[in-house]
Amino acid sequence: MEEKKLDFNSIIGFVLIFGILIWIMYKNQPSEATIAAEKAKKEQVTKEDKANKIVTNQEAAAPTMVAAGDTLQLAKLQKSLGNFAYSATLPSAKNAFTTIENDLVKLKIANKGGYIVEATLKNFERFKKGSGELVTLIKDNNANLNVQLQTSDNRTLNTKDLFFEPTLTKEGANQILSMRLKAGANEYLEYKYILKPNEYMVGFDLHSQGLKSVLNASKPLNMEWDLKSYRNEKSVAYENRYAEVYYEHEEGKSNYVGQGKDKTENVSDVSYVAFKQHFFTSILLSDVPFKSAVLHSNNLVNDDKIDTVFTKQFKAVIPIAFKNGEIDQKMNWYYGPTDYDLLKTYDKNLQDIVPLGWGIFGWINRHIFIPTYGFLSLFIAPGWAIILFTILVKLVMSPVTYKSFLSQAKMKVLKPEIAELGEKYKKDAMKKQQETMKLYNKAGVNPMAGCVPGLLQMPVFYALFQFFPSAISLRQKGFLWADDLSSYDSVYKLPFHVPAYGNHISLFPILASIAIFFYMKMTTGDQQMAAPQQEGMPDMSKMMKYMIYISPVMMLLFFNSYASGLSLYYFVSNTITIGIMLVIKNYIIDSDKIHAQIQVNKLKEPKKQGKIQRKLQEVMAQAEAQKANDKKK
């Protein structure tokens, strides 16, 4: 029995597809993560005493206010704090907090430092739906904002160590919280927070008054913002892969700092800085771009079996320039979901922090996949929306699929004649190749035609690979046995950890692997390599026989901890492709008609060769000539 071989077109298609898959996985891995496991540092979390509440919804601890008559203590403060010793004499000089909130977000701001110490998203839960634990981007001292003050008497003070005076007011439905670090009755540095109803975006003004003689305005103030991002999803490794520092600079250019250990970027003309945590983001925006910024990212997940609390350490150092001796910088904070459609509504290019892919891949996601899936999900549940979405994609790509199968059918019809040429020129591989190319040309068959459809499908393949992990609409949405389509669909937890696989078994990747196995089995069983094997070249058909088994294993390993929605898509997609193959093979393509048409084509004037075919023949002719010269010598 004749040994079955793989079609050359399928070889190229699958090699390129899996080459891209490996490249994608490589690019998404933390590039400099250390191999050695480090034990997660246990942080001591001090719980606030909720029994002590002040009238303006503030929680008070031990006051540090200095009594007016305590001249010795005042003298010490004056020596260490200079003009800002005034702030320590006010009633607000104590560990107290003010809360502002709307239906979406709850923010708690501390007197000490004047910064947000808790940022809670009211409509999102950690890990899984029904957990009862809300997503809190800031808590337990994982974030800080500090402005370094250089005083005119050569002191360096940090706002994070000083006490602000809070004043909470309302303007219509807006809540306005003024936090003032005072150097006198009318001399202060102010943080002003403005929270509107049903908004994740918070206005933030940094302003000073009467500090011309207090601060040294010869150089900008350094504003330092840092955040240690909490894990919020089931898989810390998967979540960590999508945690990045993004920024916009130089009038609309979006970029990111990168994965790994101690990554730092020095950038200029910065419009916003985003500390992105996969599905949630903390963003600092400025109406007038910062002239410069130093951005830093550090990977905290060295071993996902141990490092399970935090993902990344983010930091930004941003100089704030003086204007006529005072500070006046209008900014905004965003604490909310990494939702492409929501971020786009702010018209600040914030949607660029959603990793949809570059070039044509991002274009497909932004203009085709996001609108299409968004429309479908308005009417049906997410799991069924993915299935219908997959069917639509396959229908749109069906002409390309048909073209590929038609090319394979033509190659199959020519197989006996190619075999005859192989037998006739079995001692002259180069001549055999030349005659084969002539046969293709006479029959009007392009051996590369089957590769083009595969190449056309690659942008769709990569775009979908980027789309599903970024779709927050899948988060904590269940389908069949999967309780979260944005995470893995574990059906069994292993009592041990398998390298490159994990400690659980996900079912959708198994189904997708089985589907791709049968698809490749059908492809290799139906077609065989028509062109002869050149001397000195590896036997690609044998290599691809191994790929029949390697490909499903690769999918099983890569996708076990990926979004189950992505695995569901590939399972349905491959299953539909198998069905299309059977329909085209049994009901659409007629091999006898194709054979008859090829015989008619042979009698006609050979078609003009394409550039690739012509180049191949030229190369082979040159090789044949060189071979003849070598024999003469």
Side-chain angles (χ1 to χ4, degrees), residues 56 58 97-100 107-111 114 116 165-170 174-180 190-195 203-205:
T56 61
Q58 300 176 355
F97 310 88
T98 303
T99 299
I100 56 176
L107 306 174
K108 188 162 75 170
I109 298 94
N111 285 11
I116 299 167
E165 183 179 60
T167 303
L168 181 61
T169 59
K170 280 195 173 184
N174 299 340
Q175 301 171 67
I176 300 176
L177 176 62
S178 170
M179 304 292 294
R180 292 182 175 180
E190 180 183 46
Y191 295 168
K192 182 184 284 186
Y193 299 90
I194 304 166
L195 182 62
F204 179 66
D205 295 346

Side-chain angles (χ1 to χ4, degrees), residues 411-425:
M411 296 289 288
K412 183 178 180 181
V413 169
L414 287 176
K415 187 174 93 171
E417 296 180 54
I418 294 173
E420 289 178 9
L421 291 175
E423 183 64 27
K424 183 176 181 180
Y425 300 105

Side-chain angles (χ1 to χ4, degrees), residues 4 20 22 34 41 94 133 136 145 170 217 255 304 316 345 389 419 453 486 505 507 522 550 593 599 604 609 615:
K4 294 180 179 178
I20 287 177
I22 293 170
T34 54
K41 296 180 181 180
K94 53 189 173 185
E133 184 180 1
T136 305
L145 180 74
K170 280 195 173 184
N255 211 332
D304 58 12
T345 61
F389 176 79
S486 73
I505 297 175
L507 186 51
M522 287 176 63
I550 293 173
K593 286 184 179 180
Q599 301 310 313
K604 296 178 181 179
Q609 291 180 320
K615 189 66 177 176

Side-chain angles (χ1 to χ4, degrees), residues 13 81 110 133-134 139 219 223 243 246 282 334 343 352 423 430 443 467 543 559 565 593 599:
L81 300 181
E133 184 180 1
L134 296 177
K139 65 176 181 178
K219 58 182 180 179
M223 182 173 69
Y246 279 84
S282 305
Y334 174 88
L343 293 171
D352 289 346
E423 183 64 27
M430 188 63 66
F467 168 73
M543 292 173 61
F559 287 82
K593 286 184 179 180
Q599 301 310 313

Side-chain angles (χ1 to χ4, degrees), residues 1 43 69 83 115-116 118 128 142 146 197 203 205 263 265 268 285 292 351 458 496 511 520-521 566 588 615 632:
M1 182 178 291
E43 295 199 351
N83 293 57
Y115 178 57
I116 299 167
E118 281 189 15
K128 64 179 182 178
N142 74 312
N146 179 58
D205 295 346
K263 293 288 187 177
E265 292 283 349
S268 58
L285 309 90
S292 64
Q351 70 273 12
M458 286 183 189
F496 48 84
L511 294 176
M520 296 187 71
K521 194 74 173 174
L566 182 61
I588 297 177
K615 189 66 177 176
K632 290 179 180 179

Side-chain angles (χ1 to χ4, degrees), residues 588-607:
I588 297 177
I589 293 179
D590 188 328
S591 297
D592 293 335
K593 286 184 179 180
I594 293 174
H595 183 269
Q597 184 61 50
I598 287 176
Q599 301 310 313
V600 171
N601 291 343
K602 286 182 182 179
L603 302 176
K604 296 178 181 179
E605 188 72 21
K607 289 185 177 181

